Amino acid sequence: MHLAPRVLRRAVAAATIGLLATAVGCAPQPEDKAAATPSGSASKTCAKGKLATKTSSKLTIATDEPAYEPWFKDDKPANGKGFESAVAYAVAQQLGYDKSAVVWQQVPFNKAFAPGVKTFDFDINQVSISDERKKAVDFSSGYYDVRQAVIALKGSKAAKATSIADLKGLKLGAQVGTTSLNYIGDVVKPSQEAAAYSKNDQAISALKNGQVDAIVTDLPTAFYVTAAQVTDAKIVGQFENQGGTPEQFGLVLDKGSDLTSCVSSAVDALRKDGTLAKLEKQWLSDAVDAPVLK
C-alpha cells in the first residue's frame, strides 16, 4: 500500500531488512501455498524496448487506487517513490523502457488476478503468488518475501495476545481477497467469522471504531499503519510463513503472456545485482522486530 514518511522512519528506526524480507497487504479468498517460480509461456525475444506490449513503445503498469504506503508515496504511483513504484521503474528499465515510456493504469486489486484478458502489461500491487491464482494469470519471479502481522489498539485484550491461541476468540478483519484474510481463516481459525473489507482503509476504520478487535496486514503496512495512521495501535506480532516456500509478491501478467519470461528475467536480474535489496532497504527498512505468534 505506499512509501514510509519521515514520521515512520523516526518511529521505527531500528529496522531490520532481514526481518522485512519475510513481510501490508496487500488481497480476497482462500488460496493455495505461495509459489516462488514464475509462470507463463516463454517469450521468443526480450529485445529491449521492443516487446509486444499493449501499446507499441510503451509499458503499461497497473496498480490499485489508493496506492498505499510504504509501497507507494503520496498515492502517486508514477512518482517513482515507495518500494513498488521504484521496483516497477527498475523492471521497466531492465526491459528497455525509460520513465517517460511507462504508462500507469488503475486496476482494482481483485480484478488484477481475475480471469480474463488484461489491459496492462503487468500489475504490481502486493499480489501474492499462489497456485490458485496461477490458474487465471501469469506471475513473474517473486520480488518480495512477505510476512503477515496483527494490529490491535493499545490496551485492548487483543493487544495482549502472545500466541495464535490468544487470537481465536477475537473478532478479526482484513481486506478481502488477501493472504491476510486467508491467514485468519487458515492459521488462526477464530471462533467468529472474520470481517472482510473491500479496501484496507475500511479495515483500519473498523479497528478505530471498535468493530473488530484486530486486523491483519502484511508487516510493512502494519508498521506504517501504527506509526502514521492509527498511532494508538500496536503490532501484536507476526505469523511465521506457512510451509517450506515463503509467500512472495509477484508481478501479474496475462495468462500465457509472451512477456512473462522477459519480466521474470528482469526481476531475477534486479535480485542478483542487489537492486531489490537496495530498494527494500531504502523504502521498507523502518520495520523493527515484531514477536512471532505461534
Side-chain angles (χ1 to χ4, degrees), residues 22-181:
T22 61
V24 202
C26 262
Q29 283 143 21
E31 60 185 24
D32 297 341
K33 300 297 181 184
T37 55
S39 55
S41 62
S43 175
K44 295 181 180 179
T45 177
C46 293
K48 290 186 177 296
K50 298 181 179 179
L51 303 182
T53 54
K54 298 293 183 181
T55 301
S56 180
S57 302
K58 299 287 184 180
L59 186 67
T60 302
I61 304 175
T63 196
D64 202 353
E65 183 181 9
Y68 298 96
E69 298 194 21
W71 311 104
F72 299 91
K73 178 64 174 176
D74 300 327
D75 195 18
K76 296 178 180 178
N79 64 15
K81 298 178 181 180
F83 180 70
E84 289 194 327
S85 180
V87 167
Y89 281 118
V91 171
Q93 192 69 37
Q94 282 286 327
L95 296 173
Y97 297 89
D98 61 24
K99 194 170 183 177
S100 64
V102 172
V103 177
W104 284 90
Q105 185 179 100
Q106 186 272 322
V107 173
F109 181 88
N110 284 342
K111 190 175 180 180
F113 51 86
V117 177
K118 306 307 175 189
T119 56
F120 51 78
D121 294 311
F122 69 77
D123 178 278
I124 183 166
N125 190 27
Q126 307 109 62
V127 181
S128 295
I129 301 169
S130 75
D131 290 337
E132 180 65 27
R133 289 173 178 169
K134 281 184 178 181
K135 295 175 182 178
V137 295
D138 281 359
F139 281 98
S140 70
S141 300
Y143 62 87
Y144 184 70
D145 295 349
V146 191
R147 189 166 286 191
Q148 302 297 322
V150 179
I151 305 170
L153 296 179
K154 296 174 182 176
S156 66
K157 179 181 178 182
K160 298 178 176 65
T162 59
S163 67
I164 292 175
D166 292 338
L167 301 173
K168 290 185 180 296
L170 303 177
K171 181 67 174 180
L172 305 175
Q175 184 182 351
V176 70
T178 58
T179 51
S180 301
L181 187 60

